[in-house]
Amino acid sequence: MVLSPPAGIVGAVTIFSSPIPSHLSSSRHHRTKEALTPWHNCHEGFPNVSREIRKILTERASHFNIALDDVSITSLTFGKEFTAAIEAKQVAAQEAERAKFVVEKAEQDKRSAVIRAQGEAKSAQLIGQAIANNPAFIILRKIEAAREIAHTISNSANKVYLNSDDLFIAT
């Protein structure tokens, strides 16, 4: 008797059978043994496929009063369409993870920009309050800026010529 596996699955199945006495059902004599393939190590679906093949073969054999004592899956490969579908699913999952990462990065960049802008606004507010409370704050800031510029120029190997009019701080 030739029994074919479910659609999309190509393989060789070894069947050991014996006639079913008319008073016994096939499920009482049904025992299975399956050879695991390398595909099993990579995919969790193999036991489900194996169970489904056993179920279909047992049902078909019972119509002929045959009890399957052992079903051994010796070779199991999947059709091109099924393999392509699995690969497409994996690619789609990877693309979804990549898109999720891009979205999370954009959200982090957004939060960072908001925090930076809030800090700058607070800084401008504090400087404005300092100027309003003490007009000498501007002069202090000009002196600090001039000190930084002088330090940079003094450490430079280049020659710098300054106009004497620029050396005075206008108040």
Side-chain angles (χ1 to χ4, degrees):
M1 168 179 33
V2 176
L3 298 174
S4 59
I9 299 175
V10 180
V13 178
T14 304
I15 302 174
F16 302 97
S17 62
S18 61
I20 302 174
S22 59
H23 66 281
L24 297 176
S25 68
S26 63
S27 61
R28 290 182 61 193
H29 289 282
H30 181 82
R31 294 188 313 264
T32 62
K33 176 182 175 185
E34 56 192 25
L36 300 179
T37 66
W39 185 86
H40 176 261
N41 297 332
C42 299
H43 298 82
E44 297 175 4
F46 184 80
N48 294 334
V49 171
S50 177
R51 240 180 294 171
E52 187 66 23
I53 290 172
R54 265 184 271 137
K55 177 182 164 193
I56 290 170
L57 292 175
T58 301
E59 287 175 5
R60 289 183 185 176
S62 69
H63 294 297
F64 298 97
N65 286 333
I66 296 174
L68 298 181
D69 294 327
D70 191 21
V71 175
S72 177
I73 300 174
T74 57
S75 173
L76 178 67
T77 57
F78 292 91
K80 292 178 184 177
E81 297 84 13
F82 184 79
T83 303
I86 292 295
E87 289 174 2
K89 180 181 176 184
Q90 290 173 343
V91 168
Q94 290 172 352
E95 289 174 358
E97 284 296 317
R98 190 176 305 122
K100 181 180 172 184
F101 172 77
V102 169
V103 168
E104 288 176 2
K105 185 178 183 314
E107 288 175 355
Q108 287 178 349
D109 291 345
K110 175 184 155 186
R111 284 191 297 270
S112 174
V114 167
I115 291 170
R116 189 178 311 111
Q118 289 172 342
E120 290 174 3
K122 185 68 173 176
S123 174
Q125 179 187 11
L126 293 174
I127 289 172
Q129 288 175 352
I131 291 171
N133 293 340
N134 189 356
F137 181 76
I138 294 278
I139 296 171
L140 177 63
R141 292 293 288 201
K142 284 183 180 180
I143 293 171
E144 288 174 353
R147 184 179 297 151
E148 287 180 31
I149 292 169
H151 179 71
T152 302
I153 291 172
S154 69
N155 290 334
S156 173
N158 299 329
K159 291 184 180 181
V160 178
Y161 296 98
L162 299 173
N163 185 346
S164 62
D165 294 336
D166 294 335
L167 295 176
F168 296 105
I169 298 176
T171 56

